Structures are given as C-alpha cells and as structure tokens.
C-alpha cells in the first residue's frame, strides 16, 4: 500500500513538472520571438548592442572601460541577468547581436576589446591591491617557477626540504585532517612585503605548543624569498598573496 502510494505521488509530481516545463517553454518562446524582432529592427537601423551577462558566469570589473571602448565603434552595452533555467532562449537578443558584431568586426573583436578594457581598468586603478586569484595565471611570483600552477606545487616542496619536526610532535594519522600554517602578505609593485600575517592550526591540541616556532619558521621562509611582483593583464600590480604549508603532507616524508 505504501509503495503504491509512493509511486502514485512520484507519478503526479512528474505530471506537474511536465506541465510547468511546458508553460515555461511557451513563455521563453514568446520572449525569444519578441527579443529577436527587436534585435533585427535595431540591426536594420544600424544600432548594435553587446550584451554583458551577469550572474553565474565569469564577470569583469572592466565593464565601464569596455562600454567606453565599444562606443567608439557605435556599439552600446547593456547588462543581462542570467536566469536559472534550462532554456537558452533567454539569450536570443544577445546571440543575434553578437553574431552581427562578429560579422561586422571579426570573430575575436569582443575578446580583443575586453583585453583592452582590462588593461585600461588596471591602469586606472594602479594603486589598488588586487586579489592574487584575479592576477595572471601565466605569471609566477615565486622566482623558481614560471607560472601559477608550478608555483603552487613548488614552494611547499622547497619549504619542507629543510623542515624538521620536533621529536615529540604528534604526526597526522592517515584519515585525520591536516594541520597547517598560512602566511598572508601584500606584495607591492616593487617586490616588497607588507602587512605580513601568520596563523597556524593544529588538529592535535598537544601540537599547539609548537605554534610560535612554526609561525616563526614560515615567516622566515617567506621573508628570504625574493618575490616577483604579480601581474594583471600583463601589468605589474600590488596584490594580496598567501602561502600555506600543510604538515604531514607527502612532502614531509621526502
């Protein structure tokens, strides 16, 4: 009886979902038809608009700069929020406009202008402290690597080459969480370190007595490195950086 009731409930829910999706699709069909008509009329009148998606997509801080650059080509920009829907018909206006812009100016026109806008934004905000995650991935602040991925793998290996654990340190067991020390700092355009902060966290309360020593060692390592200023869009910038040393990671066995 219970199984039959459960099956009937699932069946009814499926019916309701199908009805909902049918209504939603009709709504998006109507929106798409209307937006396509508007786009065609504007294109026919020589009016071009680049739609900047907002929401669950990669977003930029250089939209104002992009708007200014595109205005030189008589192209407007407008933002468009991205809805949580399976339908791609929310993009009918933007897709048609983008195809016309590409046809008129070239396949990589918008991409090239976005790069130009990003550079303009960085120059305009040259004194800003940028997040390291917003900086160029093909650049490394660590002098012994050439890109971000290599840096993330290399610096802790170098740290643990000479790291010795105290004799009474309680090591991590296989399924335990890791203990760690993180050093945060601002790396200036001149390669100087500012606002150094350090913090250690231990999974074994007994190991807390080593915090001061581990903090000192981590800070000492960071200060000895001749860090290379970070870059954003190829331009040297101030940046917030951090390095984390995971204890009892595979490196400590080497």
């Amino acid at each position: 009886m219970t199984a039959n009731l459960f099956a009937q409930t699932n069946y009814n829910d499926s019916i309701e979902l199908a009805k909902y999706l049918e209504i939603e699709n009709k709504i998006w069909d109507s929106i798409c038809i209307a937006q396509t008509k508007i786009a065609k009329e504007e294109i026919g009148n020589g009016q071009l608009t680049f739609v900047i998606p907002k929401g669950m997509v990669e977003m930029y801080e250089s939209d104002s700069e992009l708007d200014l650059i595109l205005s030189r080509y008589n192209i407007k920009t407008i933002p468009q929020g991205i809805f949580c829907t399976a339908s791609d018909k929310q993009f009918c206006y933007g897709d048609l406009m983008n195809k016309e812009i590409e046809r008129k100016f070239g396949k990589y026109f918008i991409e090239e202008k976005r790069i130009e806008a990003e550079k303009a934004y960085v120059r305009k905000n040259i004194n800003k402290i940028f997040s390291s995650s917003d900086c160029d991935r093909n650049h490394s602040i660590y002098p012994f690597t050439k890109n971000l991925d290599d840096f993330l793998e290399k610096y802790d290996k170098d740290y643990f080459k000479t790291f010795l654990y105290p004799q009474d340190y309680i090591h991590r067991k296989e399924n335990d969480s890791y203990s760690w020390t993180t050093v945060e700092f601002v790396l200036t355009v001149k390669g100087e370190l500012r606002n150094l902060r350090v913090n250690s966290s231990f999974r074994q309360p007994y190991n807390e007595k080593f915090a001061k020593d581990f903090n000192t060692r981590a800070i000492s390592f960071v200060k000895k490195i001749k860090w290379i200023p970070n870059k954003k869009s190829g331009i040297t910038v101030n940046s917030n950086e951090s390095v984390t040393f995971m204890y009892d990671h595979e490196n400590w066995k080497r």
Side-chain angles (χ1 to χ4, degrees):
M1 178 70 178
T2 302
N4 289 337
L5 180 61
F6 181 74
Q8 183 64 39
T9 300
N10 283 345
Y11 175 75
N12 291 338
D13 288 345
S14 297
I15 294 293
E16 291 301 315
L17 178 60
K19 289 180 180 178
Y20 170 80
L21 292 175
E22 183 180 0
I23 294 172
E24 183 185 43
N25 286 333
K26 287 181 179 178
I27 292 172
W28 281 114
D29 283 342
S30 298
I31 292 173
C32 183
I33 291 171
Q35 293 297 315
T36 298
K37 181 181 178 182
I38 292 171
K40 286 182 177 179
E41 289 176 353
E42 291 180 357
I43 290 171
N45 293 327
Q47 301 172 6
L48 295 179
T49 302
F50 176 65
V51 177
I52 300 176
K54 298 288 186 179
M56 298 177 292
V57 293
E58 182 180 8
M59 293 191 289
Y60 301 87
E61 296 179 294
S62 59
D63 288 344
S64 295
E65 286 73 21
L66 181 64
D67 181 73
L68 178 61
I69 291 169
L70 292 182
S71 68
R72 300 167 189 157
Y73 300 85
N74 294 319
I75 300 174
K76 296 190 302 181
T77 66
I78 58 170
Q80 177 186 343
I82 305 299
F83 292 92
C84 295
T85 174
S87 177
D88 59 357
K89 293 181 180 178
Q90 60 181 304
F91 306 113
C92 291
Y93 177 88
D95 285 348
L96 197 58
M97 279 291 181
N98 290 348
K99 286 179 182 177
E100 180 61 19
I101 291 172
E102 183 178 306
R103 184 194 69 79
K104 189 172 181 179
F105 296 99
K107 183 176 181 180
Y108 301 106
F109 174 75
I110 291 296
E111 181 180 335
E112 290 168 353
K113 297 308 166 187
R114 173 60 81 179
I115 292 172
E116 187 179 332
E118 282 286 285
K119 289 179 180 293
Y121 174 81
V122 174
R123 292 191 185 99
K124 183 179 177 181
N125 296 275
I126 198 62
N127 293 321
K128 178 179 177 178
I129 300 174
F130 290 91
S131 169
S132 60
S133 61
D134 292 333
C135 293
D136 299 343
R137 292 196 65 86
N138 62 351
H139 173 76
S140 174
I141 64 172
Y142 195 57
F144 310 111
T145 56
K146 294 183 179 180
N147 58 58
L148 178 61
D149 292 331
D150 290 344
F151 158 57
L152 295 175
E153 183 178 341
K154 171 77 170 161
Y155 77 83
D156 68 330
K157 289 182 180 178
D158 290 345
Y159 180 71
F160 283 103
K161 282 179 181 177
T162 58
F163 187 90
L164 296 176
Y165 286 87
Q167 288 187 351
D168 55 341
Y169 180 87
I170 300 177
H171 289 285
R172 169 184 175 270
K173 295 181 174 59
E174 185 175 356
N175 295 321
D176 289 347
S177 299
Y178 286 100
S179 297
W180 46 262
T181 296
T182 293
V183 181
E184 298 175 309
F185 55 94
V186 172
L187 179 58
T188 73
V189 293
K190 295 181 179 180
E192 299 170 343
L193 304 184
R194 302 278 177 84
N195 303 335
L196 274 83
R197 302 175 301 280
V198 61
N199 181 55
S200 290
S201 176
F202 298 94
R203 295 298 170 255
Q204 288 286 347
Y206 177 83
N207 289 335
E208 291 286 349
K209 68 178 185 177
F210 303 119
K212 184 177 180 180
D213 177 45
F214 282 24
N215 287 349
T216 299
R217 293 200 222 178
I219 284 284
S220 177
F221 175 83
V222 168
K223 286 183 175 180
K224 286 178 181 178
I225 302 301
K226 194 171 183 179
W227 300 93
I228 301 170
N230 220 328
K231 291 180 180 291
K232 181 171 172 62
S233 298
I235 300 169
T236 301
V237 295
N238 303 303
S239 60
N240 280 313
E241 305 291 343
S242 67
V243 290
T244 297
F245 306 105
M246 306 288 289
Y247 301 115
D248 290 323
H249 190 263
E250 59 180 351
N251 292 328
W252 78 270
K253 299 178 182 179
R254 296 176 183 175

